[in-house]
Amino acid sequence: MTQPLIELEAVHKHFGHLHVLRAVNLTVDRGEVVVVIGPSGSGKSTLCRSINRLETIDSGEIRFDGQPLPAEGRALARLRSQVGMVFQSFNLFAHMTVLDNVALGPIKVRREKRSDARQRALALLDRVGIANQADKHPAQLSGGQQQRAAIARALAMQPKAMLFDEPTSALDPEMVGEVLDVMTSLAADGMTMIVVTHEMGFARHAADRVVFMADGQLVEEAPPADFFSAPRSERARDFLSKVLTH
């Protein structure tokens, strides 16, 4: 048995009186694509952000590659370089070109030679379909292109896993597909991924497993074909009846 890459055990998290994660247990194997869905406020983003310690948990344990998450310092920086994160806001540096945005992490954090980092950054921009935008600044790009640049930037650190927190929710509808296409190709290449999304089509086609959350709890998990055709819980049936009919 190979060890799971990501393990959450009895994880609890409060924001004040709000109990946002309640005894969450989840394991993600290497190369697995897990899509987390559920109503707004169910704890999906908090779950995602806890895995690279952007949020600290109150109790329980999260392990990455067999090790408990480090609390701070150099070990935490190393963890963050191994876990790529893509948010709904692109967080690109406005004063730098797209190419420099993607090459920055490898140069600064991994101490790569500038020429090597830029060469790989170009290859990654090509991979996400925007090599022709390399010398532009983020403001000159569409939202879909900026999000693809953000994905390339996360990949530049050669992460072991990628976390996506609602990566398409800030995009105009016509740009959603181009970002999902990049994510689908990453999944096909064997990248370990946790994806929080409202895009049910992506969940259906790209996920190995769908995890449904409500009220801070992991209500059910199943392969997409099973989940979408025969959800076991009342909460999931109710959720799907609302999202799949519109």
Side-chain angles (χ1 to χ4, degrees), residues 88-227:
Q88 60 188 65
S89 56
F90 322 120
N91 300 337
L92 297 166
F93 291 113
H95 64 287
M96 296 170 81
T97 65
V98 170
L99 181 65
D100 287 337
N101 264 285
V102 175
L104 181 67
I107 293 168
K108 285 268 191 276
V109 180
R110 295 175 70 103
R111 302 276 184 261
E112 285 181 24
K113 270 180 29 199
R114 181 173 291 272
S115 56
D116 293 349
R118 287 173 68 87
Q119 198 173 351
R120 225 185 50 252
L122 254 180
L124 285 167
L125 290 172
D126 187 44
R127 159 129 207 234
V128 301
I130 53 168
N132 58 344
Q133 309 291 329
D135 296 328
K136 293 188 178 171
H137 284 75
Q140 297 170 280
L141 272 55
S142 71
Q145 290 169 330
Q146 289 187 61
Q147 192 58 294
R148 286 186 282 160
I151 293 172
R153 179 185 54 186
L155 290 173
M157 296 299 287
Q158 301 175 359
K160 294 179 182 175
M162 289 279 283
L163 308 175
F164 293 88
D165 186 13
E166 308 262 15
T168 58
S169 63
L171 299 178
D172 293 334
E174 72 271 20
M175 294 172 192
V176 169
E178 64 195 55
V179 173
L180 294 179
D181 285 347
V182 170
M183 292 165 60
T184 303
S185 86
L186 276 182
D189 287 350
M191 174 61 78
T192 308
M193 292 164 55
I194 295 181
V195 182
V196 173
T197 186
H198 293 293
E199 299 294 333
M200 295 302 140
F202 178 81
R204 224 186 259 272
H205 300 303
D208 295 305
R209 184 160 39 119
V210 173
V211 168
F212 175 73
M213 285 186 75
D215 304 321
Q217 288 173 309
L218 208 151
V219 178
E220 67 176 284
E221 48 186 312
D226 299 349
F227 178 78

Side-chain angles (χ1 to χ4, degrees), residues 20-39:
V20 284
L21 294 178
R22 300 168 184 259
V24 171
N25 295 300
L26 178 67
T27 59
V28 180
D29 290 328
R30 288 159 211 279
E32 190 179 18
V33 178
V34 173
V35 173
V36 184
I37 63 173

